[in-house]
Amino acid sequence: MENRFVEKATGAISDKYRLAILLELSRKGSLTSTDVQELTGLSQPCVSHHVKLLTDSGLVDSKKEGRNVHLSLNKTCIQQLSDFIEKLT
Amino acid sequence: MENRFVEKATGAISDKYRLAILLELSRKGSLTSTDVQELTGLSQPCVSHHVKLLTDSGLVDSKKEGRNVHLSLNKTCIQQLSDFIEKLT
DNA sequence: CAAATACATTTAAACTTTTAAATATTTGGT
DNA sequence: ACCAAATATTTAAAAGTTTAAATGTATTTG
């Protein structure tokens, strides 16, 4: 397990908007960037920036379909992070 | 589970020095602030600041004994964070 | 009680992150 | 081909974080 992954992934979670996105993805399974804009009330470029942090961290996958981006959780990656943290104990 | 806890705890982890402290605490069980200074090579005030972030987040406990501070992992808290992340999947 | 040790606080500079406005790109519908 | 919709990029300002120097506060030891 790479420390750099853990730093990026925890950094991606540690923001109220990004945490809200992760929780909503967990509830709904998938979201578009427009959904995220409605969810957070942030400007479109700002949403684009937060989404990029989430996808760059590996926690979120994005798939472009037509002009929409479909976001979903990368469950493997989330499980890896959870396991890493649990193993600290 | 409070989102604010998750934000603070993940924020506390998402730094190379603080992650190194957590890993060393995991290996060794406990450390003093002086140990952390040796581990990281950071200045004493800077160590004091990072240790404060870790203890404020709840992930690390500190107990003052004489003039030393003994740091240790709060395993309950770490387990709670791990569980929260796992439940996203 | 004086000196030394361990740690905390204050301050200020350097750096990073967050945000939105402006603009660009890509795709879909007419 | 044109227009609208969805998203990305660039830029710049505001806010937050990280760092160390200087200083402060307990606590132990001689």
Side-chain angles (χ1 to χ4, degrees), chain B residues 17-18 43 45-46 49-50 53 66-67:
Chain B
Y17 295 117
R18 295 191 299 265
S43 68
C46 194
H49 171 248
H50 284 298
L53 289 182
R67 42 188 177 185

Side-chain angles (χ1 to χ4, degrees), chain A residues 17-18 42-43 45-46 49-50 53 66-67:
Chain A
Y17 295 117
R18 295 192 297 265
L42 291 169
S43 69
C46 195
H49 171 248
H50 284 298
L53 289 182
R67 39 188 180 188

Side-chain angles (χ1 to χ4, degrees), chain B residues 31-61:
Chain B
L31 295 171
T32 65
S33 296
T34 302
D35 293 336
V36 173
Q37 235 176 296
E38 279 159 21
L39 175 68
T40 60
L42 292 169
S43 68
Q44 178 271 313
C46 194
V47 166
S48 190
H49 171 248
H50 284 298
V51 165
K52 187 162 162 34
L53 289 182
L54 286 168
T55 57
D56 284 358
S57 76
L59 295 172
V60 168
D61 289 328

